[in-house]
Amino acid sequence: MAEWKDGIAKLTLPTPFPVGDVNAYLIKGDSLTLVDAGTKTEESWESFKAQLADLNLKPEDIEQVILSHDHPDHVGMLDYFSPGLDVYGHHLNERWINRTPEFEKEHKEFYEKFFLQLAIPEQYFVPSMKVMKKTLVFSCNRSLTGTILENDIPPALPGWRVIETPGHAQSHIVLLREKDGTMIAGDTILAGISPNPLLEPPLPGETDRPKPLVQYNATLKKLQQYPIGLVYTGHGTEITELQSLIEKRLARQHDRAMQVRGMLEGRELTVFEVCKMLFPTVYERELNLTISETVGQLDYLYSLDAVSVREEGISFVYTAK
Ligand SMILES: [Zn+2]
């Protein structure tokens, strides 16, 4: 049952995704604020209304929404609210929550070329693009009212601060309440699993794609600079020992990358070949996620100067240095 605790109420909403439930949060600020807005399914909306009713609230009582990032399980129900509701987030949410035909074309062209560079066999292209499209069915189609950036005080939330945390999504931010170090973290860090460093097309005006795992590690190290206490997460339970969890996650990722480097010792492999070796039983079923993870590990090794890469025809081949 939803309840208030220090001005924050946690709502847990079902999703159709393997990750399971997603969390959204209400904050009692100068305006009643909802952080993240669940998936666009009737089931989620019904659950949302029932949990609001526990707090004697209705959807119309919500005065503004702040997005932690643009993934469908965090934005989809925006389509069920009044179109006049104020929605704030990082400006990079916009291309995903308000998809234009130009962006869809750019997106498709980027992946078609990128998949060839990764040496993914063509038979996987259509199913993989289908999965991406299917996921976006649960997203919304509306615009941000305003944008928030690093170090901003979010609208109507005095005492809170915005920290940009790119990695899992390019648009990711967290909200930190400075008086007690309480953080609403979205998917920046989760108690039970490591969030996937999802691939995205180049940012507007850029030609190179972002390197999400390298960014994500920098984000974790950045969070180590803040006095953070209780962490409310996008999926699952709260985190109380953030600093030690960050250490553990960084160490585990480094070990995993070294395992990849080992595979590349004395031989050259394409990204798809590395992906198959890393995820032999799930790569076909979960190609998008396993490829993101593989590219992330290779980007990380490259940033350490631990691997080299060259182009062979249209594909990249990696080897240990
Ligand atoms: Zn996410």
Side-chain angles (χ1 to χ4, degrees):
M1 179 149 162
E3 56 181 5
W4 290 105
K5 195 182 155 215
D6 290 334
I8 297 171
K10 176 181 182 177
L11 310 175
T12 299
L13 306 166
T15 81
F17 302 124
V19 70
D21 293 345
V22 67
N23 302 322
Y25 296 92
L26 290 169
I27 306 179
K28 264 183 200 163
D30 291 346
S31 299
L32 181 62
T33 303
L34 176 68
V35 181
D36 288 348
T39 313
K40 187 165 76 177
T41 65
E42 278 301 321
E43 203 192 346
S44 173
W45 185 242
E46 291 307 319
S47 168
F48 178 64
K49 285 191 292 187
Q51 291 175 70
L52 286 184
D54 292 341
L55 305 166
N56 291 316
L57 292 169
K58 306 181 294 303
E60 303 80 71
D61 295 323
I62 289 166
E63 296 175 279
Q64 61 173 11
V65 177
I66 295 181
L67 302 177
S68 69
H69 66 299
D70 54 65
H71 291 163
D73 47 341
H74 296 258
V75 304
M77 289 194 319
L78 285 179
D79 274 359
Y80 297 148
F81 284 93
S82 140
L85 180 69
D86 286 337
V87 180
Y88 299 95
H90 191 278
H91 65 92
L92 287 173
N93 284 292
E94 189 69 18
R95 62 181 187 163
W96 289 106
I97 66 170
N98 186 23
R99 295 173 301 290
T100 61
E102 295 79 58
F103 178 62
E104 278 172 6
K105 183 166 167 274
E106 216 178 283
H107 181 263
K108 187 166 175 274
E109 285 170 0
F110 165 74
Y111 280 104
E112 279 170 356
K113 180 165 178 229
F114 191 46
F115 280 5
L116 291 172
Q117 292 172 327
L118 305 180
I120 297 174
E122 281 194 44
Q123 80 220 51
Y124 294 106
F125 285 25
V126 171
S128 175
M129 298 298 279
K130 261 198 188 142
V131 170
M132 290 186 212
K133 266 219 155 110
K134 239 173 113 181
T135 309
L136 289 171
V137 166
F138 300 104
S139 183
C140 64
N141 228 308
R142 61 155 299 160
S143 236
L144 293 173
T145 318
T147 58
I148 47 178
L149 289 170
E150 178 77 8
N151 225 17
D152 280 351
I153 294 171
L157 292 181
W160 289 79
R161 193 69 75 174
V162 175
I163 306 173
E164 292 183 5
T165 57
H168 172 66
Q170 295 304 309
S171 62
H172 215 303
I173 57 140
V174 299
L175 299 177
L176 179 66
R177 184 163 65 189
E178 292 182 311
K179 69 166 188 202
D180 62 358
T182 295
M183 185 168 87
I184 297 186
D187 292 352
T188 296
I189 190 145
L190 304 173
I193 49 167
S194 204
N196 196 291
L198 285 170
L199 292 167
E200 291 188 37
L203 303 183
E206 295 192 14
T207 47
D208 289 343
R209 67 174 175 86
K211 310 274 188 299
L213 184 60
V214 175
Q215 290 175 309
Y216 182 67
N217 286 348
T219 281
L220 291 184
K221 287 179 184 156
K222 178 179 173 185
L223 291 180
Q224 289 183 311
Q225 312 303 313
Y226 290 86
I228 295 167
L230 181 63
V231 179
Y232 287 105
T233 61
H235 302 272
T237 58
E238 289 72 63
I239 294 166
T240 48
E241 302 289 334
L242 179 68
Q243 303 303 354
S244 60
L245 184 61
I246 288 176
E247 290 299 335
K248 206 170 95 185
R249 288 283 162 78
L250 287 171
R252 190 182 296 164
Q253 183 272 316
H254 180 80
D255 289 350
R256 187 89 164 140
M258 288 304 138
Q259 186 194 339
V260 173
R261 189 180 177 279
M263 295 172 186
L264 295 165
E265 201 90 56
R267 64 173 163 181
E268 290 187 319
L269 295 173
T270 65
V271 178
F272 184 65
E273 286 168 334
V274 175
C275 182
K276 281 199 291 190
M277 289 169 76
L278 257 183
F279 302 100
T281 57
V282 291
Y283 78 91
E284 283 194 292
R285 195 161 22 95
E286 292 286 357
L287 189 64
N288 295 344
L289 295 177
T290 55
I291 274 287
S292 275
E293 179 71 29
T294 307
V295 170
Q297 298 295 354
L298 291 167
D299 286 346
Y300 172 79
L301 288 168
Y302 188 79
S303 77
L304 296 184
D305 205 24
V307 294
S308 60
V309 58
R310 65 178 186 86
E311 282 176 60
E312 191 176 85
I314 197 165
S315 302
F316 300 134
V317 286
Y318 285 81
T319 191
K321 254 177 125 172

